[in-house]
Amino acid sequence: MPKLVYFIASTLDGFIAGPDGTDPTGPGGFWAPAEDYIAHLVAEYPETLPGPARAALGITAGGTRFDTVVEGRKSYEIGLAVGVTDAFPHLRHLVFSRTLTESPDPRVELVSDDPAAVVRELKQGDGKDIWLVGGAELAGALYGEVDRLIVKLSPLTIGAGIPLFGRSTPFEPGSWELTDHTVLASGAAFLTYDRLPGTPQV
């Protein structure tokens, strides 16, 4: 059964973006990933690299972890702002929005239904895991549905910004087990946590 995996970059103080919500690794961003970070993504998570980056790096491998990506409108619009209508053409791509009425790309599925209900249905299917790319508001709406967290922890603090599960997620403590970890020479770490059995889900 596919799992919902929140695969996300975070600062040491728990923020996935600065206060303005722009891409922290994009032009003018506060984090320029080191070479070993990029190399680890290419080797272990090639399907999570955007199409333009895959083309530039000569990546054709589909990857072994995910075949579906889900994201919120604000996260999707970061790509739209630079002319990318489908950052992940190699994956089934669902964008949750109640304001977008027409998809800018025929390969991108717009979904206005309850995210948790849609993800539960996706989990009943076959195939690989489902990648929750962001943003924080969607992650908050899916807080109780996340089965696995893979945090790409950057060796940075920023003091303020958008937290991992957004600003409006209700208080609901959850317990997680560290099941894998990779620490890179540059200081970044890839930390995999699985939800412990019996942990209440929303």
Side-chain angles (χ1 to χ4, degrees):
M1 180 181 294
K3 293 181 173 64
L4 180 64
V5 181
Y6 191 18
F7 181 80
I8 190 71
S10 173
T11 63
L12 292 173
D13 46 354
F15 298 110
I16 65 171
D20 61 0
T22 57
D23 182 0
T25 63
F30 57 79
W31 184 28
E35 288 185 12
D36 61 357
Y37 177 91
I38 301 298
H40 189 70
L41 285 177
V42 170
E44 298 295 332
Y45 306 94
E47 64 267 55
T48 67
L49 290 164
R54 287 168 58 88
L57 294 167
I59 298 171
T60 57
T64 61
R65 300 174 189 266
F66 307 114
D67 57 17
T68 301
V69 59
V70 296
E71 69 177 327
R73 175 185 58 80
K74 291 179 182 178
S75 174
Y76 177 60
E77 287 181 339
I78 291 174
L80 282 184
V82 294
V84 178
T85 59
D86 183 7
F88 308 104
H90 50 287
L91 302 173
R92 181 183 179 190
H93 191 169
L94 282 71
V95 173
F96 287 88
S97 175
R98 292 189 174 90
T99 57
L100 289 176
T101 57
E102 184 176 347
S103 176
D105 193 294
R107 296 169 299 190
V108 174
E109 303 172 44
L110 291 183
V111 184
S112 60
D113 298 330
D114 173 52
V118 172
V119 165
R120 289 187 200 113
E121 185 175 348
L122 290 173
K123 287 182 181 181
Q124 298 305 310
D126 296 322
K128 301 172 186 174
D129 287 340
I130 305 153
W131 171 28
L132 168 58
V133 66
E137 288 185 19
L138 180 60
L142 292 172
Y143 178 73
E145 294 299 324
V146 175
D147 304 296
R148 175 172 292 160
L149 279 167
I150 303 178
V151 180
K152 301 171 285 182
L153 194 64
S154 64
L156 295 170
T157 56
I158 59 173
I162 297 176
L164 202 65
F165 284 98
R167 299 187 180 102
S168 58
T169 304
F171 180 72
E172 186 75 32
S175 297
W176 302 80
E177 178 184 9
L178 180 66
T179 55
D180 194 16
H181 66 282
T182 300
V183 180
L184 305 177
S186 62
F190 286 69
L191 307 174
T192 300
Y193 292 91
D194 286 340
R195 187 186 291 274
L196 285 171
T199 298
Q201 292 187 303
V202 178

